[in-house]
Amino acid sequence: MIGGLGTRAGAVLSDVASTEGRLAATAGIALVTLAVGWLLLPKAVRTGEQAVSGWIDQVIDDRTDESGEGAIETLRGGVPASFLLRVAVGLSQLALFALAGVAVLTVWGQFQYVVAVLPVAENAVRVGGQVIVSVMLLGGAYVVSDALETYVADLSADSDRITAHQEQLLTRLAQVGLLVLALITVLGIWGVNLGGLLVGAGFLGIVLGMAARQTLGSLIAGFVLMFARPFEIGDWVEIGNEEGFVTDITIMNTHMRNFDGEFVVVPNDIVANQAITNRSREGRLRIHMEVGIGYDDDPEEAAEIAEEVLTEIATIANNPQPYAIPSGFGDSAILLDLRFWIDPPTPQARWRSKATAVEEIQDRFANAGISIPYPQRTVSHPPETSGGEESVERVDGEGRPVDSSV
């Protein structure tokens, strides 16, 4: 084929036999190459790029809703148009100069050099094409991954059903899947045996799975937490023995900040196997307290005073109304069960409401003559040793005696 091409080229240029004619033909080829390569080609490529870009922008503007505008802007700005234009012009100029070189060699009767170099040139063109296609695929996957991140962020901003944890996980899964697909395509372009590669990856996955069972457990638990959604970032939760605010949820761990300001990291597999108490989920929290009054006091009056005190505390919600009811007989007192709600539920509101309730109820009970008795213990002696006398020992809350016999 190459020999036949050389024969036809030689027949066409057979009239260019003199040195002057060959110089003139060479000059003409050089002028045409420079005119086309440095003047017409860049302008034509730039005009075509503008026309295609305008058409794409029109199609996108007509068919894209507001949720995809951020992703489209990311795609538009991911790779500068000037860079693509320079690459296209450079490749076109390189091809044009190669053709001009072949024409000059043919004019001077040196076509055999073209035939000798052609296999090397074909290999170079093939490898160069593979490199260009591979770079374009990987670069396109990178740009599209950024566009996916922007698109998922826009969807999350417009929807209350997608949490920050789900947004992060969906973005990472989409990006990893896209990059893996691009990498497999690139390996196929370079002729890599994907069957053997997949078999090796399978054995490697088994080995890694057995060596990192806890890590894989945390990874799977991260997916479970994403779909179950027992808590979200910012919630006040209690997980096992840890209590605090959730600051971040990753695929592997749940990050918390406890009430001492300490940063706690709990693996997701432990989170999935623990009882989880979410005190922020309902938007309000009920507080339970107990107070004891003397057996000689009126429980109904004490309950009314306690309810009135609870209603006046600013950090306690009035809907539902707080209430106090006699709940049982203690060793030294009648027990009143105090129940009230805080809205919104925060540790500060819980501590402040309980502290204020204790102070105010103690003060109001004292003004009303209602006692909050100490724990009491009655000691009986055998008749043969004490003559049947009994004594009552009063003790404080820590068991220390405060009064002697009666």
Side-chain angles (χ1 to χ4, degrees), residues 256-279:
M256 298 174 56
R257 178 173 52 83
N258 61 20
F259 302 143
D260 294 330
E262 298 172 333
F263 185 72
V264 182
V265 178
V266 185
N268 285 335
D269 59 333
I270 297 179
V271 175
N273 294 323
Q274 294 281 348
I276 301 173
T277 303
N278 191 335
R279 294 191 170 92

Side-chain angles (χ1 to χ4, degrees), residues 61 76 79 111 114 147 151 164 260 272 285 294 322 331 342 362 379:
D61 293 338
R76 289 173 177 171
V79 177
F111 193 76
V114 177
Y151 182 72
D260 294 330
L285 181 66
D331 294 336
I342 56 175
Q362 182 184 24
V379 180

Side-chain angles (χ1 to χ4, degrees), residues 40 64 85 102 146 158 169 190 197 214 224 226 325 327 343 369 392 405:
L40 298 179
T64 305
L85 181 61
V102 171
D146 287 345
D158 296 336
L169 194 55
W190 287 92
L197 186 64
Q214 184 174 1
V224 173
M226 183 191 74
I325 57 174
S327 60
D343 183 11
V392 178
S405 62

Side-chain angles (χ1 to χ4, degrees), residues 250-382:
T250 66
I251 298 179
M252 303 298 299
N253 303 306
T254 297
H255 299 178
M256 298 174 56
R257 178 173 52 83
N258 61 20
F259 302 143
D260 294 330
E262 298 172 333
F263 185 72
V264 182
V265 178
V266 185
N268 285 335
D269 59 333
I270 297 179
V271 175
N273 294 323
Q274 294 281 348
I276 301 173
T277 303
N278 191 335
R279 294 191 170 92
S280 300
R281 176 59 62 88
E282 298 298 329
R284 59 183 182 178
L285 181 66
R286 189 175 71 174
I287 307 299
H288 170 77
M289 294 178 58
E290 279 189 344
V291 60
I293 62 174
Y295 276 99
D296 296 332
D297 298 320
D298 185 1
E300 184 176 356
E301 180 185 1
E304 292 178 356
I305 294 175
E307 289 179 356
E308 182 179 354
V309 170
L310 295 177
T311 305
E312 295 174 353
I313 298 176
T315 55
I316 295 178
N318 291 325
N319 187 18
Q321 289 285 340
Y323 63 90
I325 57 174
S327 60
F329 297 97
D331 294 336
S332 305
I334 298 176
L335 301 179
L336 294 182
D337 188 9
L338 312 180
R339 298 186 181 186
F340 53 89
W341 297 82
I342 56 175
D343 183 11
T346 62
Q348 294 81 2
R350 181 179 65 176
W351 299 332
R352 191 177 300 113
S353 61
K354 292 179 69 173
T356 305
V358 170
E359 295 173 358
E360 296 293 333
I361 289 176
Q362 182 184 24
D363 186 56
R364 294 287 292 275
F365 277 9
N367 294 335
I370 298 175
S371 62
I372 301 178
Y374 289 106
Q376 299 181 8
R377 186 166 56 212
T378 301
V379 180
S380 299
H381 300 281

Side-chain angles (χ1 to χ4, degrees), residues 129-279:
Q130 290 176 334
V131 171
I132 292 174
V133 173
S134 301
V135 172
M136 291 180 63
L137 282 174
L138 295 177
Y142 179 77
V143 174
V144 174
S145 67
D146 287 345
L148 284 175
E149 183 176 1
T150 305
Y151 182 72
V152 173
D154 293 339
L155 287 180
S156 177
D158 296 336
S159 176
D160 296 334
R161 297 182 178 181
I162 301 178
T163 64
H165 180 213
Q166 291 175 331
E167 175 188 344
Q168 181 186 22
L169 194 55
L170 289 175
T171 300
R172 296 294 178 264
L173 287 177
Q175 289 177 337
V176 170
L178 183 63
L179 292 176
V180 168
L181 180 61
L183 184 60
I184 291 176
T185 305
V186 169
L187 292 177
I189 292 175
W190 287 92
V192 177
N193 185 6
L194 296 179
L197 186 64
L198 291 177
V199 172
F203 281 110
L204 181 62
I206 294 175
V207 173
L208 292 178
M210 297 183 64
R213 287 175 293 179
Q214 184 174 1
T215 302
L216 291 178
S218 296
L219 182 64
I220 296 174
F223 285 98
V224 173
L225 291 177
M226 183 191 74
F227 292 105
R229 297 175 61 181
F231 51 79
E232 299 177 5
I233 295 177
D235 284 354
W236 172 16
V237 299
E238 181 179 356
I239 303 175
N241 296 326
E242 301 293 341
E243 183 177 4
F245 291 97
V246 178
T247 58
D248 191 16
I249 307 172
T250 66
I251 298 179
M252 303 298 299
N253 303 306
T254 297
H255 299 178
M256 298 174 56
R257 178 173 52 83
N258 61 20
F259 302 143
D260 294 330
E262 298 172 333
F263 185 72
V264 182
V265 178
V266 185
N268 285 335
D269 59 333
I270 297 179
V271 175
N273 294 323
Q274 294 281 348
I276 301 173
T277 303
N278 191 335
R279 294 191 170 92

